[in-house]
Amino acid sequence: MSILSLFVSRRFFWGLYCFVIAGWILYAICDYLFLGFRTWDTALHVQPVIHWAMFGEYDDKILAVSHPFINHFRPGLLLLAPFLYVWPTMLVIHLAKITTFAICPLLFLHFGKKFKLGKCIYAIPTLWLIHDVIVTTMYAENQATSLALPLVIVSFMLAMSKRYRLMWIPMVALLFFKENLALVWLCLGMFIAIEQKKYRLGASIVGLGIAIGIGIYFIIIPSFAAGDMQHSADSLKPFMFLGDKLLMLIRAYLAMGFFVYFRPQALLYTLPAYGLFLVGGEKVHQAFFLANHTHDFPTTILFCAVFYLV
């Protein structure tokens, strides 16, 4: 049996799925019991939520800033408050992250059946489970955007199905998990305009995405934080690290088989996912290397683009 045949095997997928998910659960529990968590990033995620659940105050006691939004805009994490109230431990958010990771290949499988992908139906779900960039983000201790990945996939799948009214629900929901997820709107809008020739709808979504992103950074966050700006709002340096940025893109697309070679227009609706990295400077320098948590939702968008091409 060839390696390629494994990617279209139903039995191989389900066996791999159970093994990988069980492995991640065991890894999280062991990390928790043996104090292996990188507590800084994880604590910055859960501490304000635990404090809100226990005392009714959404405060950041670690950075001691005027509001948690100065670090990142992620009110969606408050959905974990009931679980953290019952069990105030870092393990909760790690198990939530594993849950969303486990949902993603099932979504690709579900919509693959709907779109009748035939023998290729298991290829993308299988690749998701072992893809090096996705696996790297699972090791990282930054979870907010990872929790929104199923919403990214559902948004694209509904756009591909042309169920535009229903598409707005996950599109709006994902905005509450981090300020940079407005970039998903740009990708979706460009996809609808380029691949489906719905230029007015696509342009509207792109325009709204830009307006929402700017609004979150420069209006919503300062209004909650007594006028203080989000910590990366001043990192606009598009001409810095040009070589590193180009290498980042080459590596990212190579990790997905460089599919844009076969459909160059896909660049137009996947590149916006890397927008903040491309216009940033020192504060986003770590993102130029794929061994970083910041590539979770951009890589998910690349998966959606490959799904469409299949």
Side-chain angles (χ1 to χ4, degrees), residues 268-281:
L268 297 176
Y269 55 83
T270 54
L271 273 179
Y274 298 92
L276 290 184
F277 311 150
L278 296 177
V279 302

Side-chain angles (χ1 to χ4, degrees), residues 135-203:
V135 169
T136 297
T137 65
M138 288 296 292
Y139 280 111
E141 307 300 325
N142 204 306
Q143 299 91 356
T145 48
S146 293
L147 298 182
L149 298 187
L151 297 173
V152 175
I153 295 171
V154 171
S155 297
F156 269 91
M157 296 301 152
L158 292 175
M160 292 178 198
S161 304
K162 298 184 179 180
R163 301 173 67 184
Y164 301 123
R165 291 185 179 180
L166 195 58
M167 176 188 71
W168 290 96
I169 297 175
M171 281 176 60
V172 172
L174 62 85
L175 293 172
F176 292 91
F177 286 89
K178 204 169 183 182
E179 63 277 359
N180 59 355
L181 286 173
L183 293 172
V184 178
W185 285 48
L186 276 66
C187 296
L188 268 168
M190 293 295 288
F191 170 80
I192 291 170
I194 293 167
E195 297 290 4
Q196 300 179 334
K197 311 302 181 186
K198 301 282 186 180
Y199 300 112
R200 183 176 298 178
L201 176 61

Side-chain angles (χ1 to χ4, degrees), residues 21-310:
I21 301 306
W24 280 120
I25 294 172
L26 181 62
Y27 173 81
I29 293 173
C30 289
D31 242 18
Y32 175 70
L33 293 177
F34 298 105
L35 305 178
F37 285 162
R38 297 176 183 87
T39 54
W40 178 254
D41 277 339
T42 303
L44 290 175
H45 278 69
V46 301
Q47 180 275 316
V49 182
I50 292 176
H51 197 81
W52 183 77
M54 303 295 287
F55 306 108
E57 299 175 344
Y58 190 49
D59 288 335
D60 190 323
K61 299 297 184 181
I62 298 176
L63 296 178
V65 291
S66 57
H67 197 277
F69 288 175
I70 291 180
N71 184 24
H72 287 296
F73 178 79
R74 43 195 180 200
L77 293 180
L78 292 173
L79 293 173
L80 299 176
F83 304 99
L84 289 167
Y85 179 80
V86 175
W87 192 26
T89 169
M90 292 181 178
L91 189 56
V92 168
I93 196 167
H94 284 270
L95 293 176
K97 182 177 180 178
I98 293 168
T99 300
T100 55
F101 170 82
I103 289 172
C104 290
L106 300 183
L107 288 172
F108 283 121
L109 185 60
H110 170 74
F111 285 100
K113 292 178 180 178
K114 292 193 68 174
F115 287 108
K116 299 179 180 179
L117 296 189
K119 290 184 178 180
C120 296
I121 193 171
Y122 292 102
I124 292 177
T126 300
L127 181 61
W128 176 273
L129 294 171
I130 60 174
H131 193 271
D132 59 338
V133 179
I134 297 296
V135 169
T136 297
T137 65
M138 288 296 292
Y139 280 111
E141 307 300 325
N142 204 306
Q143 299 91 356
T145 48
S146 293
L147 298 182
L149 298 187
L151 297 173
V152 175
I153 295 171
V154 171
S155 297
F156 269 91
M157 296 301 152
L158 292 175
M160 292 178 198
S161 304
K162 298 184 179 180
R163 301 173 67 184
Y164 301 123
R165 291 185 179 180
L166 195 58
M167 176 188 71
W168 290 96
I169 297 175
M171 281 176 60
V172 172
L174 62 85
L175 293 172
F176 292 91
F177 286 89
K178 204 169 183 182
E179 63 277 359
N180 59 355
L181 286 173
L183 293 172
V184 178
W185 285 48
L186 276 66
C187 296
L188 268 168
M190 293 295 288
F191 170 80
I192 291 170
I194 293 167
E195 297 290 4
Q196 300 179 334
K197 311 302 181 186
K198 301 282 186 180
Y199 300 112
R200 183 176 298 178
L201 176 61
S204 299
I205 293 173
V206 170
L208 281 171
I210 294 172
I212 289 169
I214 293 173
I216 291 173
Y217 269 100
F218 298 106
I219 299 176
I220 295 178
I221 291 176
S223 68
F224 277 93
D228 293 329
M229 298 295 294
Q230 199 266 348
H231 71 87
S232 61
D234 61 345
S235 60
L236 182 64
K237 295 180 180 178
F239 301 108
M240 183 176 284
F241 305 120
L242 289 178
D244 287 339
K245 292 174 182 179
L246 179 60
L247 282 175
M248 172 194 69
L249 292 176
I250 293 173
R251 291 167 180 162
Y253 285 101
L254 278 175
M256 295 301 296
F258 216 76
F259 66 93
V260 292
Y261 176 81
F262 305 99
R263 198 169 186 85
Q265 61 264 44
L267 275 171
L268 297 176
Y269 55 83
T270 54
L271 273 179
Y274 298 92
L276 290 184
F277 311 150
L278 296 177
V279 302
E282 296 96 336
K283 291 185 179 180
V284 296
H285 184 261
Q286 62 177 355
F288 302 152
F289 307 93
L290 301 190
N292 189 269
H293 70 269
T294 50
H295 286 273
D296 50 5
F297 81 88
T299 304
T300 302
I301 290 173
L302 297 187
F303 264 88
C304 292
V306 171
F307 180 94
Y308 177 76
L309 298 183
V310 171

Side-chain angles (χ1 to χ4, degrees), residues 1-9 11-12:
M1 179 180 290
S2 68
I3 294 177
L4 290 178
S5 65
L6 294 177
F7 281 82
V8 297
S9 169
R11 182 177 298 180
F12 179 76

